[in-house]
Amino acid sequence: MSPPVAPPGWSRWLVPPAALSVHLSIGQAYAWSVFKPPLESALGLSGTQSALPFQLGIVMLGLSAAFGGTLVERNGPRWAMTVALVCFSSGFLLAALGAATEQYWLIVLGYGFVGGIGLGIGYISPVSTLIKWFPDRPGMATGIAIMGFGGGALIASPWSARMLDSFGTGSSGIALAFLVHGLSYAVFMLLGVVLVRVPPGAARTAGRAPDAAGSIRVPARAAVRTPQFWCLWIVLCTNVTAGIGILEKAAPMITDFFADTSAPVSATAAAGFVALLSAANMAGRIGWSSTSDLIGRKNVYRVYLGAGALMYALIALFGDDSKPLFVLCALVILSFYGGGFATIPAYLKDLFGTYQVGAIHGRLLTAWSTAGILGPLIVNWIADRQEAAGRHGSSLYGLSFTVMIGLLVVGFAANELVRPVHPRHHVPVRPAPEEAADAGAVPPQQAGPA
């Protein structure tokens, strides 16, 4: 499939809606918890088993983004969005068959493995295209799209709950809900496939034209051998670990923190807290990434990691004394969590150029897969051990918060180590064939210092 080139007069503002149609769809992954209790009841699963499709989906997101990033760059955004549509929707259809026949392995295979591939390819599908359309505001552009992934759950959670109320929470009701999801998301994602375009000249000059960022042109294979890539891998991993540690256990955490006070948190209030965190996650993706266009990528990550450590310290020291302080600090941490996802593509563009930024971004998302395991593991494992030792309330989380502060400090140090990429990793700029024919033999330009 050839990348669709924008005709003369095409508005670049049609590309963010195309990206949003994909990201709002695959953002349903954050609403998986709606299906956990019905699945546990209908199929006799444990909590660990019912979480498996989501966990596998996040792992496959990172792996498919890493291994498919080069194909996305080579074949263009329309191809990538089509693959994401087919895999994500097919995953729901397989899960529907699994629920209908009460074969849980089909749900894991469908939603987790096949759907997870759709998550990864869909997540990176618009990144390099948006950066090429918005070289003046790359943080804002990628923030708009990636905001959709954070906000997808705000749509999917009530929608899924309403369907389960209507269809029932038995295996047949779950199957019907999965079926409706698969078909509906296929139609919605198709809008992105139809709308997306690459800038004029982008397909013709792929791998030859000067990069929009200047002389910085680092291929993906070279990028992963640079210290800058691994510093950013640590930065993303620590930031995501810190955010997902709260997000995954938000409702029981706020309940535990104030269980021994005169004003305990009800289940309804805890659910409202989770919704607020989702809103902060989404707002941070567009707000902080747009801010990075003004103050720079390194500076905004200093805020994420430095202020994030401070927020964790405030919760650990004073969180159980003040609900407003606890909620405010958690919201700020989740805004940093979302902002970190949205800002990283622009940071990669600054360091490596737009040449193969989608492929590089895909490889970097393995940090997300790692953090998706680390964050919940740290918080839950320590809380379980503290509870077994007879502790309760906020004391269940003190040690895990200290660990998170340490991780954020490590991430802060890694961010400080980021420097421009050495020119030896750049590829030379070669003229397009028609330009070479017009100009005669032109020696290739050597890329200058980053």
Side-chain angles (χ1 to χ4, degrees):
M1 182 179 291
S2 299
V5 180
W10 180 267
S11 173
R12 66 178 183 170
W13 291 101
L14 290 173
V15 181
L20 269 175
S21 72
V22 173
H23 274 245
L24 281 171
S25 299
I26 62 177
Q28 185 279 336
Y30 278 148
W32 173 254
S33 60
V34 174
F35 289 102
K36 280 172 61 67
L39 282 170
E40 290 167 16
S41 176
L43 302 182
L45 306 174
S46 66
T48 301
Q49 289 174 317
S50 67
L52 184 57
F54 171 78
Q55 291 175 312
L56 180 59
I58 296 300
V59 170
M60 291 307 302
L61 185 159
L63 294 178
S64 61
F67 290 104
T70 302
L71 291 175
V72 171
E73 285 290 313
R74 182 183 304 152
N75 297 321
R78 178 169 287 179
W79 174 88
M81 290 181 178
T82 301
V83 171
L85 183 160
V86 171
C87 290
F88 190 65
S89 297
S90 297
F92 267 113
L93 299 183
L94 278 172
L97 178 62
T101 58
E102 299 188 359
Q103 297 294 315
Y104 185 60
W105 67 272
L106 269 177
I107 299 176
V108 176
L109 174 67
Y111 188 93
F113 185 80
V114 178
I117 295 173
L119 287 178
I121 300 298
Y123 191 87
I124 63 174
S125 62
V127 169
S128 64
T129 303
L130 283 165
I131 289 176
K132 289 168 185 172
W133 274 110
F134 293 87
D136 51 333
R137 286 178 282 182
M140 179 214 68
T142 54
I144 290 174
I146 293 175
M147 175 184 68
F149 193 87
L154 293 178
I155 298 171
S157 292
W159 183 41
S160 300
R162 183 72 61 86
M163 276 194 284
L164 291 171
D165 287 342
S166 300
F167 302 152
T169 57
S171 57
S172 60
I174 297 170
L176 189 53
F178 282 156
L179 177 64
V180 172
H181 274 77
L183 297 178
S184 299
Y185 283 132
V187 173
F188 194 57
M189 293 172 76
L190 186 61
L191 294 175
V193 174
V194 173
L195 275 179
V196 73
R197 299 286 189 279
V198 297
R204 175 176 55 83
T205 60
R208 296 187 300 270
D211 191 274
S215 61
I216 307 173
R217 289 165 49 83
V218 182
R221 286 186 178 181
V224 298
R225 295 196 295 268
T226 64
Q228 288 85 351
F229 176 88
W230 292 106
C231 283
L232 289 189
W233 194 97
I234 293 170
V235 164
L236 182 64
C237 185
T238 54
N239 190 61
V240 173
T241 300
I244 209 169
I246 286 183
L247 185 62
E248 188 270 341
K249 202 173 175 65
M253 183 180 291
I254 193 171
T255 302
D256 289 337
F257 250 79
F258 299 99
D260 299 329
T261 66
S262 58
V265 175
S266 67
T268 301
F273 174 63
V274 174
L276 280 176
L277 292 180
S278 296
N281 178 11
M282 183 174 66
R285 292 173 187 246
I286 181 62
W288 288 116
S289 60
S290 297
T291 301
S292 77
D293 289 333
L294 302 175
I295 68 174
R297 253 58 79 172
K298 176 174 277 193
N299 284 332
V300 84
Y301 271 96
R302 285 169 173 153
V303 174
Y304 298 158
L305 300 160
L310 176 61
M311 294 299 107
Y312 259 114
L314 288 174
I315 293 177
L317 294 173
F318 310 110
D320 55 349
D321 294 329
S322 171
K323 284 182 188 175
L325 177 66
F326 179 94
V327 172
L328 177 62
C329 290
L331 291 177
V332 172
I333 291 171
L334 262 294
S335 77
F336 294 160
Y337 170 79
F341 280 123
T343 310
I344 204 69
Y347 208 164
L348 292 170
K349 174 257 184 187
D350 293 346
L351 291 170
F352 303 107
T354 62
Y355 177 50
Q356 290 189 347
V357 69
I360 299 169
H361 183 223
R363 287 159 170 78
L364 194 76
L365 288 180
T366 54
W368 186 1
S369 297
T370 304
I373 297 171
L374 277 181
L377 180 64
I378 291 169
V379 174
N380 288 292
W381 185 84
I382 292 177
D384 289 344
R385 294 302 177 274
Q386 298 288 60
E387 187 173 15
R391 295 182 176 86
H392 53 83
S394 60
S395 61
L396 296 175
Y397 304 98
L399 180 57
S400 61
F401 286 0
T402 302
V403 173
M404 294 299 182
I405 292 169
L407 287 174
L408 288 169
V409 170
V410 170
F412 190 94
N415 184 52
E416 293 303 304
L417 294 174
V418 173
R419 298 288 185 272
V421 176
H422 194 280
R424 71 173 179 271
H425 297 292
H426 298 192
V427 294
V429 178
R430 294 184 289 111
E434 59 270 30
E435 294 169 351
D438 291 340
V442 181
Q445 291 177 284
Q446 294 299 319

